[in-house]
Amino acid sequence: MAAIVKPQTTVLTDPMMPVPYRILRVRRETKDTFTFELHSVTGERFPFAPGQFNMLYLFGVGEVPISISGDPAHPEVLVHTVRVVGTVTKALCRLKRGDILGVRGPFGSSWPVAEAVGDDIVIVAGGVGLAPLRPAIYHLLNHRGDYGRVALLYGARTPGDMLYTDELVEWRGRFDIQVEVTVDAARPDEWQGNVGVVTTLIPRAHFDPHHVTALVCGPEIMMRFTILELQKRGLRDDQIYISMERNMKCAVGFCGHCQYGPHFVCKDGPVFRFDRVREIFGKREI
Ligand SMILES: Cc1cc2nc3c(=O)[nH]c(=O)nc-3n(C[C@H](O)[C@H](O)[C@H](O)COP(=O)(O)OP(=O)(O)OC[C@H]3O[C@@H](n4cnc5c(N)ncnc54)[C@H](O)[C@@H]3O)c2cc1C
Ligand code: FES
């Protein structure tokens, strides 16, 4: 009788080996930002925690770190939102339904959704920074009874730069989450809402400063001013979490490309509790 040969699966779980994923759906969010829904060609699913990222590999072009932006309760569909900034992201955003790309991950630290149970939550997002926060929002809404008040403050450059507009409307309609949005600039005929940077929303967010956890993601300058405003509202540095971006190659702590002071963003981050990076945050040379 022929021996039964077990299928070899270890290769697919090697963190350096991209797994093939097929694009199920592409949604255009803004003029330069696209959301991809992917399905593993091998049928494997990789659970992830809110805030983690994958390395997306485009054959013959290159590999980039991109946060997971989907619902952690549904890891069978992998969701990524990508803004075009350069070579790889431009090629990625040309892909169509049915195309295949490589995925390594998930990697990195996550938003502290377990540690924050019982707390109020304030989420402050700038631009494409809403993408890494969306899995945390899904988690909070899926476990709404575990948290106190939840406030989402989101700022984009213009109304046309806003991500997930249908969901923002849906979340606002739930009444168990405070949703405030603003744009840096808009024509009066296209926008009747708040105009101003996202930090202008912080004074009106509903939370108890002694029992709140803040999740912040966006450009570093935006995070810097957000932290100052949160401190003015009485938050300590250990109540504030930020997500950092650095160039990456290996994503597993080998190559040093993502070094951030004594930390590697790929494995110690991207999510950091602010008091742990306070001394180096905002230093240009780091
Ligand atoms: C942990 C982590 C999570 C990330 N999550 C996301 C995500 O969810 N969605 C997303 O769109 N991007 C995300 N990024 C950023 C993304 O990885 C970069 O935009 C991408 O690597 C750029 O590669 P490229 O080849 O397209 O551009 P390159 O050719 O490498 O760069 C082209 C130009 O763009 C500049 N550039 C590079 N990165 C950025 C950037 N982040 N912002 C502005 N300018 C930049 C470069 O300095 C250069 O001038 C994340 C990065 C990290 C580290
Ligand atoms: S990307 Fe290689 S050590 Fe972080």
Side-chain angles (χ1 to χ4, degrees):
M1 201 170 100
I4 296 169
V5 179
K6 281 194 177 172
Q8 177 60 267
T9 56
T10 47
V11 140
L12 295 176
T13 51
D14 177 345
M16 296 307 289
M17 184 68 78
V19 173
Y21 271 69
R22 190 182 304 281
I23 296 176
L24 292 179
R25 208 175 131 197
V26 186
R27 179 193 155 103
R28 187 180 194 132
E29 300 284 350
T30 71
K31 60 181 184 314
D32 62 2
T33 307
F34 297 79
T35 294
F36 297 89
E37 291 182 12
L38 311 171
H39 203 264
S40 163
V41 171
T42 60
E44 298 201 27
R45 58 169 73 184
F46 298 94
F48 67 94
Q52 287 195 299
F53 68 96
N54 281 320
M55 296 298 287
L56 302 189
Y57 177 46
L58 200 51
F59 307 105
V61 183
E63 198 180 37
V64 283
I66 301 289
S67 302
I68 305 170
S69 62
D71 187 342
H74 293 286
E76 68 280 6
V77 182
L78 188 56
V79 184
H80 286 286
T81 300
V82 183
R83 184 157 74 92
V84 176
V85 299
T87 316
V88 180
T89 48
K90 189 186 282 178
L92 256 174
C93 289
R94 286 204 194 108
L95 295 181
K96 301 273 176 297
R97 179 190 157 98
D99 287 343
I100 291 190
L101 69 160
V103 177
R104 292 194 293 127
F107 298 120
S109 60
S110 54
W111 299 112
V113 290
E115 297 87 326
V117 163
D119 272 5
D120 291 348
I121 308 284
V122 59
I123 295 166
V124 191
V128 80
L130 185 57
L133 284 162
R134 190 165 69 155
I137 298 168
Y138 287 135
H139 179 92
L140 298 173
L141 296 179
N142 291 342
H143 302 84
R144 189 62 195 86
D146 291 350
Y147 301 92
R149 286 169 290 185
V150 176
L152 166 62
L153 315 178
Y154 177 43
R157 269 176 301 188
T158 70
D161 291 313
M162 226 163 237
L163 302 185
Y164 317 135
T165 44
D166 295 349
E167 276 179 321
L168 287 168
V169 170
E170 186 192 318
W171 294 335
R172 192 174 240 168
R174 285 177 58 117
F175 299 110
D176 59 356
I177 169 169
Q178 180 190 2
V179 178
E180 304 281 350
V181 294
T182 185
V183 294
D184 295 350
R187 291 195 319 268
D189 60 327
E190 62 172 357
W191 180 254
Q192 281 79 48
N194 298 300
V195 177
V197 292
V198 71
T199 47
T200 59
L201 301 175
I202 292 173
R204 70 174 82 158
H206 304 158
F207 58 77
D208 173 355
H210 302 296
H211 299 102
V212 67
T213 298
L215 316 180
V216 183
C217 188
E220 281 191 36
I221 179 94
M222 166 263 169
M223 293 201 287
R224 193 154 357 125
F225 284 105
T226 296
I227 289 164
L228 288 174
E229 283 301 319
L230 291 171
Q231 289 166 334
K232 277 191 212 160
R233 289 274 320 253
L235 271 75
R236 299 182 314 272
D237 292 349
D238 64 358
Q239 292 173 278
I240 302 172
Y241 290 78
I242 59 175
S243 185
M244 297 299 298
E245 285 190 8
R246 282 296 178 272
N247 282 341
M248 289 187 184
K249 287 285 177 213
C250 71
V252 290
F254 289 156
C255 73
H257 265 81
C258 66
Q259 187 147 11
Y260 180 53
H263 311 286
F264 283 170
V265 171
C266 67
K267 69 178 179 60
D268 306 320
V271 176
F272 290 97
R273 206 174 75 184
F274 179 60
D275 59 316
R276 296 184 175 144
V277 292
R278 180 178 43 215
E279 305 307 329
I280 54 175
F281 182 74
K283 285 194 179 160
R284 268 172 164 271
E285 64 278 16
I286 298 178

